[in-house]
Amino acid sequence: MRERSYEPDAVDTRWLGVVMHAAFFLLLGGALARFLLRHPGEPRTPWIIALCVVLAALHLLGPGTAGAGPRPTPRRAAWLALVVVVWMVLVVLAPSFAWCAVPLFYTGLRTLPARAALVLVAVLTAFVVAAQVQLAGRFDPNLALAPPAVAALATAVFLQMERHTARQRVLIDDLIRTRRELAASERREGTLAERQRLSMEIHDSLAQGLSSQRMLLQAADRVWDTEPDKARAHVRTAASVAEHNLAEARRFVHDLAPADLARGGGLEDALRALAERESGADLTVRVHVDGEERLPRLPDRVQSALLRIAQGALANVREHAGASSAALTLTVLDDEVVLDIADDGHGFDPAALPDTPAGTRGHGLPAMRARLRALGGTLTVESTPGEGTVLSAAVPLEAHR
């Protein structure tokens, strides 16, 4: 997504520039009208009119207030110097043009660096005071104090606006930078989550299927010469596992549900198909379901996770437990679903398991816990050496309805 550039004071600058232009021309026109009404036909009148035209043209053709920016340029500084010189000559010839300095305050503050702008404001203010005293014909404390007060007020307001604009610009820059960092963090987290998902999917489906094929083919190789019929049965079972693995791989690439669930029979049929596929001469797998009437209400995410956990658990039973039988028990309650996988193998000490990352070969428990954690569930392992193992996966249903 492209980010739009935003200058925080762009709209305010244009609006204030238009106001200052309008104010300048009103003051210039008013001063010219006053001069023409009070001093008609004087020798200096053509010069006054010519200087007014030049000053108006400079405001119209130059960069002016609308073109001012945060960084002064030589072109704007030269333009401002010319405007100030023309204005000073005009004030010397006709003091009534002094109040045109008010818009020039803003123009100078926008065009020059801070110190140079303050010097310019002081010079313009001095000219205004001198012009007002000359126009009055006598010294008046009000005329001497009012222009500096107006200049100080205008300068203070402008500098406060500039500081506010600078703070706003910093905040917006921080916001944009934070948004970029947040987007990058979300991308990284998404990448890590996808890697973990891929790791668990590969471990619980493709890797476990390949492990079963290897064990079946090794068993066939051991009895190939002495029991050819049994060897061929092992090969046929390995071929069936390979076919199922191929279907899993195709659906895995397209991020679809497990192949057993995709057939439309639901979790119970998927578990029975898994048990039939894992059962053989060395291992018998049974399935028991308690609460079949509630099965259709199970969310797809929960069914998929429980089937993957059953696949991983049975693969571990076949490869590590040395068991002759295993049982899958699915219990569906109103607020929870529990899948128990029990075997009569040689068992192990759960506390002695190494802290192995999810997806590592031979250690599928971290992957199962990660799946359940994503659903708000828990995994419990009960095992004692020599007495088999019971693995229990529980998922609350309230959060998935």
Side-chain angles (χ1 to χ4, degrees):
M1 182 178 66
R2 294 185 300 176
E3 292 181 349
R4 294 181 297 175
S5 61
Y6 174 69
E7 185 68 24
D9 61 337
V11 177
D12 293 338
T13 298
R14 286 194 294 269
W15 175 81
L16 193 53
V18 171
V19 171
M20 288 300 171
H21 266 301
F24 178 81
F25 285 113
L26 285 175
L27 292 171
L28 183 65
L32 179 60
R34 181 181 185 279
F35 178 82
L36 293 177
L37 289 174
R38 295 195 175 189
H39 307 281
E42 291 189 6
R44 57 178 175 165
T45 300
W47 290 102
I48 296 295
I49 295 175
L51 288 172
C52 287
V53 172
V54 171
L55 200 56
L58 286 173
H59 258 268
L60 290 174
L61 301 178
T65 56
R71 294 183 179 180
T73 63
R75 178 173 177 268
R76 288 205 301 267
W79 168 83
L80 179 60
L82 183 59
V83 170
V84 171
V85 169
V86 173
W87 172 80
M88 287 181 173
V89 174
L90 191 58
V91 171
V92 170
L93 294 177
S96 57
F97 286 90
W99 286 109
C100 293
V102 175
L104 292 181
F105 290 163
Y106 170 78
T107 304
L109 290 168
R110 285 291 295 171
T111 303
L112 299 176
R115 293 184 179 179
L118 293 177
V119 172
L120 177 62
V121 169
V123 172
L124 295 178
T125 304
F127 258 78
V128 171
V129 171
Q132 292 300 306
V133 172
Q134 180 183 354
L135 195 63
R138 60 185 177 83
F139 179 78
D140 187 340
N142 186 53
L143 296 178
L145 297 176
V150 171
L153 180 61
T155 302
V157 170
F158 175 83
L159 293 178
Q160 180 62 26
M161 291 175 55
E162 284 290 287
R163 283 194 290 269
H164 175 74
T165 299
R167 287 194 295 266
Q168 188 180 24
R169 187 182 296 112
V170 170
L171 290 175
I172 290 176
D173 291 342
D174 289 343
L175 178 62
I176 292 174
R177 183 171 58 254
T178 302
R179 185 171 64 180
R180 290 172 178 168
E181 292 174 355
L182 179 61
S185 176
E186 288 177 348
R187 285 194 295 269
R188 286 194 298 270
E189 290 179 2
T191 300
L192 292 176
E194 183 64 11
R195 287 178 178 175
Q196 185 180 22
R197 185 187 72 84
L198 292 175
S199 172
M200 291 189 298
E201 292 287 345
I202 292 173
H203 178 273
D204 293 344
S205 57
L206 304 183
Q208 301 290 11
L210 292 173
S211 176
S212 296
Q213 293 175 52
R214 185 197 64 181
M215 295 179 65
L216 288 167
L217 293 175
Q218 288 175 342
D221 182 63
R222 286 194 296 268
V223 297
W224 191 268
D225 295 327
T226 58
E227 300 179 74
D229 292 338
K230 188 174 181 180
R232 280 192 290 271
H234 285 321
V235 171
R236 284 195 295 270
T237 304
S240 175
V241 173
E243 182 181 0
H244 177 77
N245 246 26
L246 180 60
E248 286 280 6
R250 288 170 176 168
R251 294 182 180 276
F252 172 62
V253 169
H254 294 287
D255 198 25
L256 298 178
D260 289 332
L261 287 176
R263 296 191 180 98
L267 181 59
E268 180 181 3
D269 289 348
L271 290 175
R272 296 191 186 281
L274 173 64
E276 182 180 354
R277 195 165 54 249
E278 292 293 334
S279 295
D282 301 327
L283 179 66
T284 301
V285 182
R286 301 184 306 276
V287 176
H288 175 70
V289 178
D290 184 12
E292 288 109 326
E293 70 279 0
R294 302 186 188 94
L295 273 174
R297 294 159 44 194
L298 290 181
D300 293 341
R301 290 181 61 204
V302 175
Q303 295 189 58
S304 179
L306 292 177
L307 179 59
R308 291 301 191 201
I309 289 170
Q311 288 176 333
L314 288 179
N316 285 342
V317 168
R318 178 179 290 279
E319 187 170 355
H320 303 293
S324 60
S325 65
L328 301 177
T329 303
L330 181 67
T331 305
V332 186
L333 305 174
D334 290 333
D335 59 346
E336 187 180 48
V337 56
V338 181
L339 176 64
D340 295 317
I341 303 99
D343 68 75
D344 60 355
H346 50 65
F348 64 97
D349 182 6
L353 284 178
D355 186 12
T356 309
T360 303
R361 180 183 179 274
H363 298 283
L365 293 180
M368 298 177 195
R369 288 194 175 95
R371 285 186 184 278
L372 291 169
R373 190 163 50 246
L375 297 173
T378 56
L379 181 72
T380 304
V381 180
E382 297 179 3
S383 183
T384 302
E387 296 184 8
T389 301
V390 177
L391 186 150
S392 180
V395 180
L397 297 178
E398 284 296 328
H400 304 283
R401 287 175 180 171

